Amino acid sequence: MRRRSISIATTVAVLLGSAALTATTAGTAMADSAKTLPVASVGDLIVDGVHRRVYVSDPSGGKLVVTDYTGAVKATLTGLPGVTGLALSPDSEQVYAAVKGADRIVSVETATYTRTASHPLDGADAPADLEVVDGRIWFGYAGGLGSLDVSGAEPVVRLDQDGTALGAAPMLAADPAAPGVLAAGGGGRLAVFDVSADGAALRVAGSLDSSVKQLDLTPDGTQVLASWDGTGSGYGLPAYSTTDLTEVRSYPIDAYPNAVRIAPDGTIAGGSYSWYEPDVHIHRAGDPKPTREYDFPAGSNGSGPDTLVDGALAWAPDTSRVFAVSQNDYGTYSLRALTDPTRELPKLTVSAPAKADRAKKLTVTGKLSSKTRPAAGTVLTVTRTDVESPKGKALPSVKTKADGTFSFTDTPPAGGKVTYKVSYAGDATHAPASGSDAVTVSRKSPSLTLNNNGKLYAYGKDVTFTAHLGSTYKNRTVSLYADPFGTDKGKKLLKTAKVNAKGNLSATVDMTRDTTVTAVFAGDARYAAKTVKSVAYAHAKVSTSVSKHYKTGKIGSTTYYWFHKNTDPVFTTTMNYYQGRHQRFQLQVYYDGTWYDSGSEYFALGSNGKSAVSLEAPGESGIRARMRSSYVNGSSGDTVNSTTHGAWKYMTFTK
């Protein structure tokens, strides 16, 4: 409670001086899934299809991370300084890892993720890339090409098997379906070897651009592909004959190629470092136009789009997925599983009228298109979703024409938003696709009314609001909401129920504030939704108590508070509280038979809703005055109640 003072003597002087007080107021496919990898770098990744595991090497962290196909970490092997190249044994029982920092190859059992062997490569500095060919592990190292044979009682290491063909730590490429063929590139050179138990025999050697990030061999062993961002044939994946290294074809990529991996069926996955172009490009063997492309999204932390790590692509052996590792601006790595990579991503468009009449026939058209269009007569399923069938209702299927177009008719039984969804199941070369379009189907407008709009009520009065709903189809439910004025209280559901036999639904509101009451009918199949509002108003609660008087008595028919001329009256106003609320204190003085308004002033309420104002005694007798406290909508600091004036309190001053 706050106490302020006003001088009655000054007020009287101003009044008699004829002055007045002034009141003061107050089409490209996205990566299907992604999961953060706990790595600081990426050296290589391979896929174990038997156990459905992905292995990612982290050279900087000196560890090997094992995940499932969703990217969930299943194991982490540490103590592998500089671990880079990875290879899988033909029986999928061992993963081999090139540990550059220790000049050795480590074996890991795939069933238990335990290390089974550690093979030193005496004389081989910093082994990097690995390939398994005919049971032998081939590795590139700082001196060239070497092999590790673990088939006998003792492991056998053979070095310097490239002769003078390479002269630097090479990248390697092989394929289980092409036994005895190994491609290697490094130091500006590309070579193809016939490998056997007797070692590596050079088949052909030539130059290789230094920008190449990765090599891979086709399953038939006739071509070696490189990720090349150089000149000549332009950005892309050139394919070189393993017989004479002539370029037999190229798979163009608009951005900077940085990875290439070939699936067991010959499908090619090419990667590129690109912010504003697709990151992974899928080609059928021999087809320069991509079958499908994947574009990595931007990160949720404000970074730009993720980019593909150099060489970080790997196929699932069943070609159901391509795995890729991406990196964002903050150095966070993610393992991405890209599904259906060998199947084209068709586009299915659906076009329906924007508006239609209920119970009248309409026509829906569309088109199924793809790089290679599915055959005429392809069956498409159709589903209609509306207010009566929110989970969808199957309609007769429709078949495509030779150009991929289709059309069908339907008579919508329900009004409102009606959605037609058309779906294509896909086939061996096409992924599933679907499309939809919505129609606004006409409905009748129901009659819905709500009483008490614009009425003003005493503070705290219980007021009954009644909604009346006219004719509808099936739905007879109405919801009533109350939204008191002010920011501290939200909209509240009063009642949701079916209207009675007369179409009425009522709820009671305690009118402590101006309140908006809303009646909502959600609609049904034949009648549209409707909302009506009623704004009712509530007085504030205002009362004033008087103290410091020595008696009460009447002058005429009016009760006065009697004060000695040198006693300061105190008036304590109580009002329903709202943050920042002020009461208006109004003072009038009686002179020559008339009450004169001497002005008003606003005083803040305490958090308990009280405000005390002390009047300075006039120091002379014979003066009569009156005061009242008011809440004034807007001027009192808020607008949650309607303007309310308290009762006048009369005072007289005597000797």
Side-chain angles (χ1 to χ4, degrees), residues 297-573:
S300 59
N301 56 1
S303 67
D306 275 25
T307 54
L308 181 70
V309 176
D310 289 350
L313 285 180
W315 283 90
D318 62 1
T319 69
S320 63
R321 296 167 177 80
V322 167
F323 293 94
V325 179
S326 65
Q327 182 181 15
N328 67 14
D329 296 342
Y330 299 101
T332 300
Y333 293 86
S334 299
L335 178 65
R336 299 181 178 274
L338 315 177
T339 59
D340 271 338
T342 62
R343 297 201 283 178
E344 296 176 21
L345 190 66
K347 181 179 180 181
L348 201 160
T349 59
V350 178
S351 179
K355 296 180 179 180
D357 292 327
R358 192 192 68 80
K360 291 188 178 181
K361 186 180 293 185
L362 57 80
T363 300
V364 179
T365 61
K367 185 174 184 179
L368 176 65
S369 57
S370 190
K371 182 186 174 197
T372 56
R373 183 182 301 126
T378 295
V379 176
L380 308 176
T381 59
V382 181
T383 302
R384 180 186 65 218
T385 303
D386 54 33
V387 295
E388 288 205 315
S389 302
K391 295 183 178 180
K393 178 180 176 59
L395 300 182
S397 59
V398 63
K399 294 182 179 180
T400 61
K401 298 177 182 178
D403 62 355
T405 60
F406 61 86
S407 66
F408 62 88
T409 60
D410 183 52
T411 302
K417 182 180 180 181
V418 179
T419 300
Y420 293 95
K421 181 179 180 181
V422 182
S423 300
Y424 166 56
D427 57 25
T429 57
H430 298 86
S434 64
S436 64
D437 198 12
V439 186
T440 300
V441 178
S442 63
R443 289 185 288 181
K444 295 180 181 179
S445 179
S447 172
L448 181 65
T449 59
L450 184 62
N451 65 343
N452 298 332
N453 185 50
K455 292 183 179 180
L456 177 62
Y457 298 98
Y459 177 87
K461 181 176 178 57
D462 289 337
V463 177
T464 299
F465 289 81
T466 300
H468 177 77
L469 178 65
S471 299
T472 60
Y473 175 49
K474 289 183 178 180
N475 184 15
R476 299 297 293 165
T477 298
V478 171
S479 297
L480 291 172
Y481 298 86
D483 189 3
F485 281 32
T487 59
D488 60 331
K489 293 185 178 181
K491 189 175 183 179
K492 179 183 178 181
L493 175 65
L494 298 174
K495 184 183 291 187
T496 295
K498 290 184 178 180
V499 297
N500 62 20
K502 295 181 178 180
N504 296 330
L505 180 69
S506 299
T508 300
V509 176
D510 182 16
M511 294 296 296
T512 59
R513 294 187 185 183
D514 298 346
T515 302
T516 299
V517 178
T518 305
V520 179
F521 170 64
D524 57 26
R526 298 182 183 180
Y527 284 81
K530 191 166 186 179
T531 298
V532 294
K533 294 183 179 181
S534 177
V535 180
Y537 302 94
H539 280 299
K541 183 179 182 181
V542 182
S543 64
T544 303
S545 63
V546 183
S547 59
K548 297 295 185 72
H549 55 288
Y550 66 89
K551 73 170 186 175
T552 60
K554 288 190 175 183
I555 300 177
S557 60
T558 303
T559 298
Y560 277 75
Y561 292 89
W562 294 64
F563 295 89
H564 294 297
K565 63 180 181 180
N566 293 318
T567 299
D568 297 340
V570 175
F571 300 91
T572 301
T573 297

Side-chain angles (χ1 to χ4, degrees), residues 198-288:
D198 296 328
L202 180 64
R203 178 189 295 182
V204 64
S207 61
L208 180 70
D209 193 274
S210 61
S211 66
V212 171
K213 300 294 191 299
Q214 196 168 42
L215 302 174
D216 208 1
L217 192 70
T218 57
D220 61 8
T222 63
Q223 297 174 24
V224 57
L225 273 67
S227 59
W228 189 36
D229 61 5
T231 56
S233 59
Y235 294 167
L237 309 173
Y240 303 103
S241 167
T242 55
T243 301
D244 57 11
L245 295 185
T246 57
E247 184 177 330
V248 293
R249 62 176 47 87
S250 181
Y251 301 88
I253 293 176
D254 289 339
Y256 303 105
N258 66 346
V260 58
R261 279 292 180 245
I262 304 173
D265 66 356
T267 305
I268 299 158
S272 58
Y273 180 88
S274 51
W275 275 43
Y276 304 110
E277 300 286 344
D279 301 273
V280 178
H281 320 262
I282 309 298
H283 292 262
R284 295 189 179 114
D287 189 347

Side-chain angles (χ1 to χ4, degrees), residues 147-150 154-158:
S147 67
L148 170 65
D149 187 352
V150 295
E154 296 292 334
V156 177
V157 177
R158 298 180 65 181

Side-chain angles (χ1 to χ4, degrees), residues 26-50:
T28 295
M30 298 292 290
D32 294 274
S33 67
K35 188 162 288 188
T36 300
L37 279 172
V39 298
S41 64
V42 174
D44 198 5
L45 77 156
I46 59 168
V47 181
D48 171 11
V50 173

Side-chain angles (χ1 to χ4, degrees), residues 5-30:
S5 296
I6 296 177
S7 171
I8 293 180
T10 301
T11 301
V12 173
V14 170
L15 173 64
L16 297 179
S18 301
L21 285 175
T22 302
T24 59
T25 61
T28 295
M30 298 292 290

